[in-house]
């Protein structure tokens, strides 16, 4: 893969073939690379695909505390039509600036690789210019290991799914000064929501399994990260890796994967 990446010049199928994700062991050490297609392929041989690194960005308005959500486009191959956090994607192999972090950086919170990937994808998916983002304003909070078959989209024998160690990044911004122009092949809709509104909204509709894990474990619970954003942005990063099985409806897939990591 070259270091020049242009998401606007690629289709969803192109990115599945050409994007090269970071393959991990269960302790988050990079042990290789694989195409996005191969790593998300749920099969008899690999019931949960291939474990790889990901990031989930949560952008909050610094005045209202509202969170920017996106609805993944209907044209997405994996988990289309679901509401989720601001941006969720993968750091890639062979990029410039580099998107690879060594686990030792977790202790300092200086996860520059995933932040570089986040800035790249915020521009691609939401049209947010890199000039409106500051790398030092991203706050790394924790990582979690999860998997989920895309059975809601593709049925009980779904050939696609996610198996990730996901880096959680918070970012406070002034939404009045933020340019948001969603890419139509990536995002169908966006909205800013309050914590109270999201609690109600998540009672219905389609939501990504990783967002549901995050919301239930850290975001919407009593004393959770969203209750006091100033405190959250000042907290030390968590060096542990928590591990979760998906919600029940995302078990299975082509490889018939079952409970393995535990629940939220």
């Amino acid at each position: 893969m070259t270091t020049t990446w242009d998401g606007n010049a690629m289709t969803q199928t192109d990115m599945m073939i050409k994007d090269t994700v970071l393959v991990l062991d269960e302790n988050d050490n990079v042990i290789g690379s694989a195409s996005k297609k191969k790593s998300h392929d749920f099969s008899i041989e690999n019931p949960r695909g291939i474990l790889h690194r990901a990031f989930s960005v949560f952008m909050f308005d610094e005045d209202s505390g509202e969170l920017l959500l996106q609805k993944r486009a209907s044209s997405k191959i994996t988990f289309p039509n679901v509401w989720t956090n601001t941006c969720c994607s993968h750091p890639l192999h062979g990029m410039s600036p580099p998107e690879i972090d060594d686990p030792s950086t977790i202790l300092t919170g200086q996860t520059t690789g995933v932040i570089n990937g986040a800035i790249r994808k915020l521009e691609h998916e939401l049209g947010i210019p890199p000039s409106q983002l500051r790398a030092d304003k991203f706050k790394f909070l924790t990582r979690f290991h999860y998997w989920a078959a895309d059975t809601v989209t593709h049925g009980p024998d779904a050939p696609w799914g996610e198996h990730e160690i996901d880096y959680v990044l918070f970012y406070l911004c002034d939404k009045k000064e933020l340019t948001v122009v969603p890419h139509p092949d990536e995002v169908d809709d966006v909205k800013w929501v309050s914590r109270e509104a999201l609690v109600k909204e998540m009672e219905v509709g389609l939501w990504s399994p990783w967002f549901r894990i995050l919301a239930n474990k850290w975001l919407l619970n009593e004393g959770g990260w969203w209750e006091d954003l100033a405190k959250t942005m000042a907290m030390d990063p968590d060096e542990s890796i928590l591990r979760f099985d998906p919600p029940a409806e995302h078990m299975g897939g082509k490889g018939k994967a079952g409970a393995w990591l535990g629940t939220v």
Side-chain angles (χ1 to χ4, degrees), residues 61-247:
D61 178 53
E62 56 194 4
D63 290 332
S64 67
E66 291 176 319
L67 170 63
L68 178 61
L69 300 179
Q70 67 155 275
K71 184 180 182 184
R72 289 167 62 88
S74 58
S75 55
K76 298 284 282 186
I77 295 171
T78 58
F79 300 96
N81 302 308
V82 300
W83 282 98
T84 193
N85 49 286
T86 311
C87 179
C88 11
S89 192
H90 311 92
L92 299 179
H93 177 74
M95 299 297 288
S96 180
E99 298 183 1
I100 299 178
D101 291 293
D102 185 278
S104 64
T105 63
I106 296 299
L107 295 175
T108 65
Q110 302 302 309
T111 55
T112 55
V114 293
I115 290 171
N116 288 336
I119 292 172
R120 172 177 59 84
K121 286 299 289 184
L122 284 165
E123 180 181 27
H124 174 226
E125 293 187 5
L126 295 171
I128 300 174
S131 61
Q132 293 183 10
L133 299 170
R134 282 177 41 190
D136 63 350
K137 287 187 66 176
F138 285 89
K139 175 69 176 181
F140 167 72
L141 293 171
T142 194
R143 328 166 261 182
F144 69 104
H145 177 185
Y146 82 99
W147 67 277
D150 193 6
T151 48
V152 173
T153 303
H154 299 286
D157 295 322
W160 305 113
E162 285 287 7
H163 187 188
E164 302 177 328
I165 292 180
D166 195 356
Y167 284 50
V168 182
L169 302 171
F170 272 29
Y171 192 98
L172 298 186
C173 67
D174 180 352
K175 71 177 184 181
K176 299 187 298 297
E177 302 295 326
L178 191 70
T179 301
V180 179
V181 184
H183 190 303
D185 205 29
E186 293 286 331
V187 177
D188 276 351
D189 199 4
V190 295
K191 60 183 173 183
W192 293 90
V193 296
S194 67
R195 182 178 179 276
E196 294 73 22
L198 185 59
V199 170
K200 291 289 186 182
E201 291 194 20
M202 289 192 71
E203 294 175 359
V204 296
L206 295 176
W207 298 85
S208 74
W210 59 89
F211 182 70
R212 289 170 63 186
I213 291 171
L214 278 158
N216 290 333
K217 177 64 179 178
W218 291 292
L219 204 62
L220 300 178
N221 56 314
E222 186 176 351
W225 290 337
W226 203 349
E227 280 194 3
D228 189 339
L229 287 173
K231 179 181 178 181
T232 298
M233 297 300 284
M235 65 188 286
D236 291 332
D238 183 357
E239 62 182 284
S240 63
I241 304 172
L242 298 182
R243 306 183 194 274
F244 306 104
D245 284 322

